[in-house]
Amino acid sequence: MNYLRAVIFSVGNREFGIDINHVVAYKKMPPVLNNSKNLEYMKGSPTKCQIIAPIIDLRTNFLGNENSSDFKMTRLLIVERNDDLVGIIVDSAMDVMDISEDTIQPFKMNTDFDYYIGISKQGDREIIILDVQNMMENLYLYISRQNGFH
């Protein structure tokens, strides 16, 4: 039986999991340098944590929640794939869990984005597993197009 070791975090009333092998850091939300070219769910780049990376706010487009600019209580989860970094704004990181791959079922949210591997039921918890590779490939493709690179 194969397991996914995942960092579990919350955004709103939903729980998400992300492969721990992609997690680089978990920090208090730093000040952000905003870029007006960004999509509404992109908040810019952190300015004080020695990391330059686009930041995605899962509270907006991904979940359909209202955009919130109050970052006092949020945290920044920095993830990496093939030396590319992205920050994900989360409400809190809760724990690390081993999730049996057999428990992950297909899942589709009603958004324009397909960054989910599936959903896993763990007792009374439903954990949405994020697809880091797909998320980052699409994010960097969008950024390169915005900057004139195809």
Side-chain angles (χ1 to χ4, degrees):
M1 185 177 291
N2 292 329
Y3 287 90
L4 168 70
R5 176 153 263 200
V7 174
I8 309 301
F9 59 91
S10 68
V11 178
N13 61 357
R14 296 184 188 246
E15 289 185 287
F16 293 84
I18 194 165
D19 186 332
I20 196 167
N21 294 314
H22 293 292
V23 176
V24 175
Y26 176 68
K27 302 176 172 275
K28 183 177 177 183
M29 187 66 193
V32 172
L33 176 63
N34 198 358
N35 180 341
S36 61
K37 289 183 180 180
N38 291 337
L39 293 169
E40 69 180 75
Y41 62 86
M42 290 183 58
K43 297 301 176 195
S45 297
T47 59
K48 290 189 176 179
C49 63
Q50 286 111 17
I51 295 173
I52 298 175
I55 297 176
I56 297 173
D57 188 349
L58 289 180
R59 298 170 303 168
T60 56
N61 250 6
F62 290 95
L63 294 180
N65 292 348
E66 296 217 4
N67 185 11
S68 173
S69 59
D70 181 15
F71 295 124
K72 292 177 187 154
M73 301 304 291
T74 59
R75 297 293 181 254
L76 186 64
L77 192 65
I78 305 289
V79 298
E80 175 183 39
R81 186 192 64 85
N82 297 336
D83 296 325
D84 291 327
L85 297 174
V86 67
I88 301 172
I89 297 171
V90 303
D91 291 331
S92 67
M94 300 150 90
D95 56 15
V96 175
M97 180 183 291
D98 290 324
I99 298 174
S100 170
E101 291 181 359
D102 294 340
T103 68
I104 301 173
Q105 301 300 314
F107 177 73
K108 179 78 171 146
M109 290 187 78
N110 293 329
T111 69
D112 294 334
F113 308 98
D114 188 22
Y115 300 143
Y116 310 99
I117 293 172
I119 190 165
S120 176
K121 293 192 179 199
Q122 301 291 313
D124 61 349
R125 298 166 72 181
E126 291 185 341
I127 300 170
I128 300 167
I129 310 299
L130 291 179
D131 183 343
V132 173
Q133 180 170 333
N134 193 20
M135 177 175 58
M136 293 181 77
E137 284 174 2
N138 286 292
L139 175 64
Y140 280 96
L141 179 63
Y142 172 81
I143 291 170
S144 67
R145 286 184 179 158
Q146 287 296 311
N147 291 307
F149 305 107
H150 297 279

